[in-house]
Amino acid sequence: MPIHVLGGCGILGVGVWLSVTQGNFATLSSSLPSLSAANLLIAVGTIIMVIGCLGCVGAVKESRPLLLSFFILLLLIFFLEILSIMLFFVYQDQVDHYAQRDLKRGLQLFGTEGNVGLTNAWMIVQTDFRCCGVTNHTDWFEVYNASRVPDSCCLEYSDNCGLVNPGTWWTAPCYERVKDWIQQNLVALWIFALCTALTQILGLVFSMTMFCQAVKVETFYA
């Protein structure tokens, strides 16, 4: 259970660091503007840390209510994770369709007042992944109402290069590029997922073992 506290603190720390140092780097989604990497890590880190503290206090004090609460919460999170993964694979096509539609809607906010985070996020993604637009570089034509793209789409960055010949732009779709990157790192992601699942299972076993031990002790002295 201490590993849950340490893990939660680590995730929370990374989230706070991202929020402070990369405050302008927000989400690409227009419908979920608060769902940035920093906010997500802060939320997840806080939840894990609170549950971990609950387990630690329950273990130290051998408190049945706290140990049982820790077990139930951890079991609930474990089942929700499994359910989320199953639903993702079952409805993957619908998820792809919704994500692309939402990202294209977000393009309309690019460069507008109050959307510095979204603008910076698109600039970073297009520069790092050498891509342009969600499904095609022509996605930007609807944003500008002209045959132009942001300067971050250019093979060689320069001011107003997005107004020049299309032959100087990246043409690969960003959505597919990001999916390819995830596919290439799938082994690492699965290892991380398995390690997380193993940690949760160990936490469940440990908490239930201590709970049963506390019941036996209380019954013995009753």
Side-chain angles (χ1 to χ4, degrees), residues 2 7 45 57 60 65 76 86 88 98 112-113 134 169-170 188 191 193 220 222:
V57 174
V60 171
L76 180 63
M86 290 175 62
F88 174 78
Y98 174 80
T112 58
E113 187 177 353
V134 180
W169 306 336
W170 301 115
I191 290 174
F220 179 78

Side-chain angles (χ1 to χ4, degrees), residues 190-211:
W190 275 116
I191 290 174
F192 174 77
L194 289 173
C195 289
T196 301
L198 180 61
T199 302
Q200 291 174 332
I201 291 171
L202 289 174
L204 290 169
V205 172
F206 184 65
S207 60
M208 185 49 65
T209 302
M210 290 204 67
F211 175 80

Side-chain angles (χ1 to χ4, degrees), residues 75-184:
L75 185 64
L76 180 63
I77 290 174
F78 185 70
F79 280 135
L80 286 174
E81 289 171 348
I82 294 176
L83 181 62
S84 298
I85 293 172
M86 290 175 62
L87 289 175
F88 174 78
F89 283 110
V90 171
Y91 297 102
Q92 189 169 1
D93 291 339
Q94 290 90 327
V95 171
D96 279 341
H97 176 72
Y98 174 80
Q100 290 178 27
R101 185 180 62 183
D102 189 54
L103 289 171
K104 285 183 179 180
R105 194 182 299 124
L107 294 183
Q108 302 294 331
L109 302 176
F110 183 87
T112 58
E113 187 177 353
N115 290 290
V116 177
L118 183 141
T119 301
N120 287 346
W122 268 112
M123 291 176 67
I124 292 171
V125 167
Q126 292 186 143
T127 301
D128 290 353
F129 285 93
R130 298 182 176 184
C131 58
C132 191
V134 180
T135 57
N136 196 294
H137 68 283
T138 56
D139 292 338
W140 290 108
F141 294 178
E142 298 178 15
V143 178
Y144 291 108
N145 291 319
S147 298
R148 66 163 297 185
V149 297
D151 295 341
S152 55
C153 279
C154 299
L155 277 68
E156 293 185 10
Y157 180 88
S158 63
D159 290 337
N160 297 319
C161 61
L163 293 168
V164 191
N165 189 337
T168 63
W169 306 336
W170 301 115
T171 56
C174 290
Y175 191 82
E176 292 301 324
R177 276 294 175 92
V178 173
K179 284 186 67 176
D180 289 343
W181 179 85
I182 293 174
Q183 289 290 338
Q184 291 169 8

